[in-house]
Amino acid sequence: MSSIILESDITCPACGYKKREQMPVDACQWFYDCESCHRLLRPLAGDCCVFCSYGSVKCPPVQQGSACCS
């Protein structure tokens, strides 16, 4: 089994700003404020968190093959 990646590059769909962030392992992150344009990001329909929608790596629970926070 591969190790869990805990960092993800999150990219704002509005302005394209990208930042590497540490993902929480014990909670979902449903909101993210872009540091550049200050747009409040929320998960896309069908995704559990902003990392699954806008990150380069899915959240830790999804990487492990389980459902994320519901």
Coordinates of all heavy atoms in Angstrom, one line a residue:
M1 N 0.8 -1.2 0.0 CA 0.0 0.0 0.0 C 0.9 1.2 0.0 O 1.9 1.3 0.7 CB -0.9 0.0 1.2 CG -1.9 1.1 1.3 SD -3.1 0.8 2.6 CE -3.8 2.4 2.7
S2 N 0.6 2.2 -0.8 CA 1.4 3.4 -0.9 C 1.1 4.3 0.2 O 0.0 4.3 0.9 CB 1.1 4.1 -2.3 OG -0.2 4.5 -2.4
S3 N 2.0 5.2 0.5 CA 1.8 6.2 1.6 C 0.8 7.3 1.2 O 0.7 7.6 0.0 CB 3.2 6.8 2.0 OG 3.7 7.5 0.9
I4 N 0.2 7.9 2.2 CA -0.7 9.0 1.9 C 0.0 10.3 1.7 O 0.9 10.6 2.5 CB -1.7 9.1 3.1 CG1 -2.4 7.7 3.3 CG2 -2.7 10.2 3.0 CD1 -3.2 7.3 2.2
I5 N -0.4 11.0 0.7 CA 0.2 12.3 0.5 C -0.6 13.4 1.2 O -1.8 13.4 1.1 CB 0.2 12.6 -1.1 CG1 1.0 11.6 -1.8 CG2 0.7 14.0 -1.3 CD1 0.8 11.6 -3.3
L6 N 0.1 14.2 2.0 CA -0.6 15.1 2.9 C -0.6 16.6 2.4 O -1.2 17.4 3.0 CB 0.0 15.1 4.3 CG -0.2 13.7 5.0 CD1 0.5 13.8 6.3 CD2 -1.6 13.3 5.1
E7 N 0.1 16.8 1.2 CA 0.1 18.2 0.7 C -0.5 18.1 -0.7 O -0.4 17.2 -1.5 CB 1.5 18.7 0.6 CG 2.1 19.0 1.9 CD 3.5 19.7 1.8 OE1 4.2 19.6 0.8 OE2 3.9 20.4 2.8
S8 N -1.2 19.2 -1.1 CA -1.8 19.3 -2.4 C -1.7 20.8 -2.9 O -1.7 21.7 -2.1 CB -3.3 18.9 -2.2 OG -3.9 19.0 -3.5
D9 N -1.5 20.9 -4.2 CA -1.4 22.2 -4.8 C -2.9 22.6 -5.2 O -3.4 22.0 -6.0 CB -0.6 22.2 -6.0 CG 0.9 22.0 -5.7 OD1 1.4 22.4 -4.6 OD2 1.6 21.4 -6.6
I10 N -3.4 23.5 -4.5 CA -4.8 23.9 -4.7 C -4.8 25.1 -5.7 O -4.0 26.1 -5.5 CB -5.6 24.2 -3.4 CG1 -7.1 24.3 -3.7 CG2 -5.0 25.4 -2.7 CD1 -7.9 24.2 -2.4
T11 N -5.6 25.1 -6.7 CA -5.6 26.1 -7.8 C -7.0 26.7 -7.9 O -8.0 26.1 -8.0 CB -5.3 25.5 -9.2 OG1 -4.0 24.8 -9.1 CG2 -5.2 26.5 -10.2
C12 N -7.0 28.1 -7.8 CA -8.2 28.8 -7.8 C -8.8 28.8 -9.3 O -8.0 29.2 -10.2 CB -8.0 30.2 -7.4 SG -9.5 31.3 -7.5
P13 N -10.0 28.4 -9.5 CA -10.5 28.4 -10.8 C -10.9 29.7 -11.4 O -11.0 29.9 -12.6 CB -11.8 27.5 -10.7 CG -12.2 27.8 -9.3 CD -11.0 27.9 -8.5
A14 N -10.9 30.7 -10.5 CA -11.3 32.1 -10.9 C -10.0 32.8 -11.5 O -10.1 33.5 -12.5 CB -11.9 32.9 -9.8
C15 N -8.9 32.7 -10.8 CA -7.8 33.5 -11.2 C -6.5 32.7 -11.5 O -5.5 33.2 -12.0 CB -7.4 34.5 -10.0 SG -6.7 33.8 -8.6
G16 N -6.6 31.4 -11.2 CA -5.4 30.5 -11.5 C -4.3 30.5 -10.5 O -3.3 29.8 -10.7
Y17 N -4.5 31.3 -9.4 CA -3.5 31.3 -8.3 C -3.4 29.9 -7.8 O -4.3 29.2 -7.5 CB -3.9 32.3 -7.3 CG -2.9 32.4 -6.1 CD1 -1.7 33.1 -6.2 CD2 -3.2 31.8 -4.9 CE1 -0.8 33.2 -5.2 CE2 -2.3 31.9 -3.8 CZ -1.1 32.6 -4.0 OH -0.3 32.7 -2.9
K18 N -2.1 29.4 -7.5 CA -1.9 28.1 -7.0 C -1.0 28.2 -5.7 O -0.1 29.0 -5.7 CB -1.1 27.3 -8.0 CG -0.8 25.8 -7.7 CD 0.0 25.1 -8.7 CE -0.8 24.9 -10.0 NZ -0.1 24.1 -11.0
K19 N -1.4 27.4 -4.7 CA -0.6 27.4 -3.5 C -0.6 25.9 -2.9 O -1.6 25.3 -3.0 CB -1.3 28.3 -2.5 CG -0.5 28.4 -1.2 CD -1.0 29.4 -0.2 CE 0.0 29.4 1.0 NZ -0.6 30.2 2.1
R20 N 0.5 25.5 -2.4 CA 0.6 24.2 -1.8 C 0.1 24.4 -0.4 O 0.5 25.3 0.4 CB 2.1 23.8 -1.8 CG 2.2 22.4 -1.1 CD 3.4 21.7 -1.5 NE 3.2 21.3 -2.9 CZ 4.1 20.6 -3.6 NH1 5.2 20.1 -3.0 NH2 3.8 20.3 -4.8
E21 N -0.8 23.5 0.0 CA -1.4 23.5 1.3 C -1.3 22.1 2.0 O -1.3 21.1 1.3 CB -2.9 23.9 1.2 CG -3.2 25.3 0.8 CD -2.9 26.3 1.8 OE1 -2.5 26.0 2.9 OE2 -3.1 27.5 1.5
Q22 N -1.3 22.1 3.3 CA -1.3 20.8 4.1 C -2.8 20.5 4.2 O -3.6 21.3 4.6 CB -0.7 21.1 5.4 CG -0.6 19.9 6.3 CD 0.6 19.0 6.0 OE1 1.5 19.5 5.4 NE2 0.5 17.8 6.4
M23 N -3.1 19.2 3.9 CA -4.5 18.7 4.0 C -4.7 18.2 5.4 O -3.9 17.5 6.0 CB -4.8 17.6 3.0 CG -4.7 18.1 1.6 SD -5.2 16.8 0.4 CE -3.7 15.9 0.3
P24 N -5.9 18.5 6.0 CA -6.2 17.9 7.3 C -6.5 16.4 7.1 O -7.0 16.0 6.1 CB -7.5 18.6 7.7 CG -8.1 19.1 6.4 CD -7.0 19.4 5.5
V25 N -6.1 15.6 8.1 CA -6.3 14.2 8.0 C -7.5 13.7 8.8 O -8.0 12.6 8.6 CB -5.1 13.4 8.5 CG1 -3.9 13.6 7.5 CG2 -4.7 13.7 9.9
D26 N -8.1 14.6 9.6 CA -9.2 14.2 10.5 C -10.4 15.0 10.3 O -11.4 15.0 11.1 CB -8.7 14.3 12.0 CG -8.3 15.7 12.3 OD1 -8.1 16.6 11.4 OD2 -8.1 16.0 13.5
A27 N -10.5 15.8 9.2 CA -11.6 16.6 8.9 C -11.6 17.0 7.4 O -10.6 17.1 6.8 CB -11.6 17.9 9.7
C28 N -12.8 17.3 6.9 CA -12.9 17.8 5.5 C -12.8 19.3 5.5 O -13.1 20.0 6.5 CB -14.3 17.4 4.9 SG -14.4 15.7 4.5
Q29 N -12.3 19.8 4.4 CA -12.2 21.3 4.3 C -13.2 21.7 3.2 O -13.0 21.4 2.0 CB -10.8 21.7 3.9 CG -10.6 23.2 3.9 CD -9.2 23.7 4.0 OE1 -8.3 23.0 4.4 NE2 -9.0 24.9 3.5
W30 N -14.3 22.2 3.6 CA -15.4 22.6 2.7 C -15.2 24.0 2.1 O -15.9 24.3 1.2 CB -16.7 22.5 3.5 CG -17.1 21.0 3.8 CD1 -17.0 20.0 2.9 CD2 -17.5 20.5 5.0 NE1 -17.4 18.8 3.6 CE2 -17.7 19.1 4.9 CE3 -17.7 21.1 6.3 CZ2 -18.1 18.3 5.9 CZ3 -18.1 20.3 7.3 CH2 -18.3 18.9 7.1
F31 N -14.4 24.8 2.7 CA -14.2 26.2 2.2 C -12.7 26.5 2.1 O -11.9 26.0 2.9 CB -14.9 27.2 3.1 CG -16.3 26.9 3.4 CD1 -16.8 26.3 4.5 CD2 -17.3 27.3 2.4 CE1 -18.1 26.1 4.7 CE2 -18.6 27.1 2.6 CZ -19.0 26.5 3.8
Y32 N -12.4 27.3 1.1 CA -11.0 27.8 1.0 C -11.0 29.2 0.4 O -11.7 29.4 -0.7 CB -10.2 26.8 0.0 CG -8.8 27.2 -0.1 CD1 -7.8 26.8 0.8 CD2 -8.3 28.0 -1.2 CE1 -6.5 27.2 0.7 CE2 -7.0 28.3 -1.3 CZ -6.1 27.9 -0.4 OH -4.8 28.3 -0.5
D33 N -10.4 30.1 1.0 CA -10.3 31.5 0.5 C -9.0 31.7 -0.3 O -7.9 31.6 0.3 CB -10.4 32.4 1.7 CG -10.4 33.9 1.3 OD1 -11.0 34.2 0.3 OD2 -9.9 34.7 2.1
C34 N -9.2 32.0 -1.6 CA -8.0 32.2 -2.4 C -7.3 33.5 -1.9 O -7.9 34.5 -1.7 CB -8.5 32.4 -3.9 SG -7.1 32.9 -5.0
E35 N -6.0 33.3 -1.7 CA -5.2 34.5 -1.2 C -5.0 35.6 -2.3 O -4.8 36.7 -1.9 CB -3.8 34.0 -0.8 CG -3.8 33.2 0.4 CD -2.4 32.8 0.8 OE1 -1.4 33.3 0.2 OE2 -2.2 32.0 1.8
S36 N -5.2 35.2 -3.5 CA -5.0 36.2 -4.6 C -6.3 37.1 -4.9 O -6.3 38.3 -4.7 CB -4.6 35.6 -5.9 OG -4.4 36.5 -6.9
C37 N -7.4 36.4 -5.2 CA -8.6 37.1 -5.6 C -9.7 37.1 -4.5 O -10.7 37.7 -4.7 CB -9.2 36.5 -6.9 SG -9.9 34.9 -6.8
H38 N -9.4 36.3 -3.4 CA -10.3 36.2 -2.3 C -11.7 35.6 -2.6 O -12.6 35.7 -1.9 CB -10.5 37.6 -1.6 CG -9.2 38.2 -1.2 ND1 -8.5 37.7 -0.1 CD2 -8.5 39.2 -1.7 CE1 -7.4 38.4 0.0 NE2 -7.3 39.3 -0.9
R39 N -11.7 34.8 -3.6 CA -12.9 34.0 -3.9 C -13.0 32.9 -2.9 O -12.0 32.2 -2.6 CB -12.9 33.5 -5.3 CG -14.1 32.7 -5.7 CD -14.1 32.3 -7.1 NE -15.3 31.6 -7.5 CZ -15.7 31.3 -8.7 NH1 -14.9 31.8 -9.7 NH2 -16.8 30.7 -8.9
L40 N -14.2 32.6 -2.4 CA -14.4 31.5 -1.5 C -14.8 30.3 -2.3 O -15.8 30.2 -3.0 CB -15.6 31.9 -0.5 CG -15.9 30.8 0.5 CD1 -14.7 30.7 1.5 CD2 -17.1 31.2 1.3
L41 N -13.9 29.3 -2.3 CA -14.0 28.1 -3.0 C -14.8 27.1 -2.2 O -14.6 27.0 -1.0 CB -12.7 27.5 -3.4 CG -11.7 28.3 -4.2 CD1 -10.5 27.6 -4.5 CD2 -12.4 28.9 -5.4
R42 N -15.7 26.3 -2.8 CA -16.5 25.3 -2.2 C -16.3 24.0 -3.1 O -16.1 24.2 -4.3 CB -17.9 25.7 -2.1 CG -18.2 26.8 -1.2 CD -19.7 27.1 -1.0 NE -19.9 28.2 -0.1 CZ -20.3 29.4 -0.3 NH1 -20.7 29.7 -1.6 NH2 -20.5 30.3 0.6
P43 N -16.5 22.9 -2.5 CA -16.4 21.6 -3.4 C -17.4 21.6 -4.5 O -18.5 22.1 -4.4 CB -16.7 20.5 -2.4 CG -16.5 21.1 -1.0 CD -16.8 22.5 -1.2
L44 N -17.0 21.1 -5.6 CA -17.9 20.9 -6.8 C -18.9 19.8 -6.4 O -18.6 18.9 -5.6 CB -17.1 20.5 -8.0 CG -16.1 21.6 -8.5 CD1 -15.3 21.0 -9.6 CD2 -16.8 22.8 -9.0
A45 N -20.0 19.7 -7.1 CA -21.0 18.7 -6.9 C -20.4 17.3 -7.1 O -19.6 17.1 -8.0 CB -22.1 18.8 -7.9
G46 N -20.6 16.4 -6.1 CA -20.0 15.1 -6.1 C -18.7 15.0 -5.4 O -18.2 13.8 -5.2
D47 N -18.0 16.1 -5.1 CA -16.8 16.0 -4.4 C -17.0 16.3 -2.9 O -17.9 17.0 -2.5 CB -15.8 17.1 -4.9 CG -15.2 16.7 -6.3 OD1 -15.2 15.4 -6.6 OD2 -14.7 17.5 -6.9
C48 N -16.1 15.7 -2.1 CA -16.3 15.9 -0.6 C -15.7 17.1 0.0 O -16.0 17.5 1.0 CB -15.8 14.6 0.1 SG -14.1 14.3 -0.1
C49 N -14.6 17.6 -0.7 CA -13.9 18.8 -0.1 C -13.2 19.6 -1.2 O -13.2 19.1 -2.4 CB -12.9 18.3 0.9 SG -11.6 17.3 0.2
V50 N -12.7 20.7 -0.9 CA -12.0 21.6 -1.9 C -10.8 20.9 -2.5 O -10.4 21.2 -3.6 CB -11.7 23.0 -1.3 CG1 -13.0 23.8 -1.0 CG2 -10.8 22.9 -0.1
F51 N -10.1 20.1 -1.7 CA -8.9 19.4 -2.3 C -9.3 18.4 -3.4 O -8.6 18.3 -4.3 CB -8.1 18.7 -1.1 CG -7.5 19.7 -0.2 CD1 -7.9 20.0 1.0 CD2 -6.4 20.4 -0.7 CE1 -7.4 20.9 1.8 CE2 -5.7 21.4 0.1 CZ -6.3 21.6 1.4
C52 N -10.4 17.8 -3.2 CA -10.9 16.8 -4.2 C -11.3 17.6 -5.5 O -11.2 17.1 -6.6 CB -12.0 15.9 -3.7 SG -11.4 14.7 -2.5
S53 N -11.8 18.8 -5.3 CA -12.2 19.6 -6.5 C -11.1 20.4 -7.1 O -11.1 20.5 -8.4 CB -13.3 20.6 -6.0 OG -14.5 19.9 -5.6
Y54 N -10.3 21.0 -6.4 CA -9.3 22.0 -6.9 C -7.8 21.6 -6.6 O -6.9 22.4 -7.0 CB -9.6 23.4 -6.3 CG -11.0 23.8 -6.5 CD1 -11.9 23.8 -5.5 CD2 -11.5 24.1 -7.8 CE1 -13.2 24.2 -5.7 CE2 -12.8 24.5 -8.0 CZ -13.7 24.5 -6.9 OH -15.0 24.9 -7.1
G55 N -7.6 20.5 -5.9 CA -6.2 20.2 -5.6 C -5.6 19.2 -6.6 O -6.2 18.6 -7.3
S56 N -4.3 19.2 -6.5 CA -3.5 18.3 -7.3 C -3.5 16.9 -6.8 O -3.2 15.9 -7.5 CB -2.0 18.8 -7.4 OG -1.5 18.8 -6.1
V57 N -3.9 16.7 -5.5 CA -4.0 15.4 -4.9 C -5.3 15.4 -4.1 O -5.7 16.3 -3.5 CB -2.8 15.2 -3.9 CG1 -3.0 13.9 -3.1 CG2 -1.5 15.3 -4.6
K58 N -6.0 14.3 -4.2 CA -7.3 14.1 -3.5 C -7.0 14.0 -2.0 O -5.9 13.7 -1.5 CB -8.0 12.8 -3.9 CG -8.3 12.7 -5.4 CD -9.4 13.6 -5.7 CE -9.8 13.5 -7.2 NZ -10.8 14.4 -7.7
C59 N -8.0 14.2 -1.2 CA -7.9 14.3 0.3 C -7.5 12.9 0.8 O -7.7 11.9 0.2 CB -9.1 14.7 1.0 SG -10.5 13.6 0.8
P60 N -6.8 12.8 2.0 CA -6.4 11.6 2.6 C -7.4 10.4 2.6 O -7.1 9.3 2.3 CB -5.8 12.0 4.0 CG -5.3 13.3 3.8 CD -6.4 14.0 2.8
P61 N -8.6 10.7 3.1 CA -9.6 9.6 3.1 C -9.9 9.0 1.7 O -10.0 7.8 1.6 CB -10.9 10.2 3.7 CG -10.4 11.3 4.6 CD -9.2 11.8 3.8
V62 N -10.0 9.8 0.7 CA -10.2 9.3 -0.7 C -9.0 8.6 -1.2 O -9.1 7.6 -1.8 CB -10.6 10.5 -1.6 CG1 -10.6 10.1 -3.0 CG2 -12.0 11.1 -1.2
Q63 N -7.8 9.0 -0.8 CA -6.6 8.3 -1.2 C -6.5 6.9 -0.6 O -6.0 6.0 -1.2 CB -5.3 9.1 -0.7 CG -5.0 10.4 -1.4 CD -3.8 11.0 -0.9 OE1 -2.7 10.4 -0.8 NE2 -3.9 12.2 -0.4
Q64 N -7.1 6.8 0.6 CA -7.2 5.5 1.2 C -8.3 4.6 0.7 O -8.4 3.4 1.1 CB -7.3 5.6 2.7 CG -6.1 6.3 3.4 CD -6.3 6.5 4.9 OE1 -7.4 7.0 5.3 NE2 -5.3 6.2 5.7
G65 N -9.1 5.1 -0.2 CA -10.2 4.3 -0.7 C -11.5 4.3 0.1 O -12.4 3.6 -0.2
S66 N -11.5 5.2 1.1 CA -12.8 5.3 1.8 C -13.5 6.6 1.5 O -13.0 7.5 0.9 CB -12.5 5.2 3.3 OG -11.6 6.3 3.7
A67 N -14.7 6.7 2.0 CA -15.5 7.9 1.8 C -14.9 9.0 2.7 O -14.5 8.7 3.8 CB -17.0 7.7 2.1
C68 N -15.0 10.2 2.2 CA -14.5 11.3 3.0 C -15.7 11.7 3.9 O -16.7 11.0 4.0 CB -14.2 12.5 2.0 SG -13.2 13.8 2.8
C69 N -15.5 12.8 4.6 CA -16.6 13.2 5.6 C -17.9 13.4 4.8 O -17.9 13.9 3.7 CB -16.1 14.6 6.2 SG -14.5 14.5 7.0
S70 N -18.9 13.0 5.5 CA -20.3 13.2 4.9 C -21.1 14.2 5.6 O -20.8 14.5 6.8 CB -21.0 11.9 4.9 OG -20.3 10.9 4.2

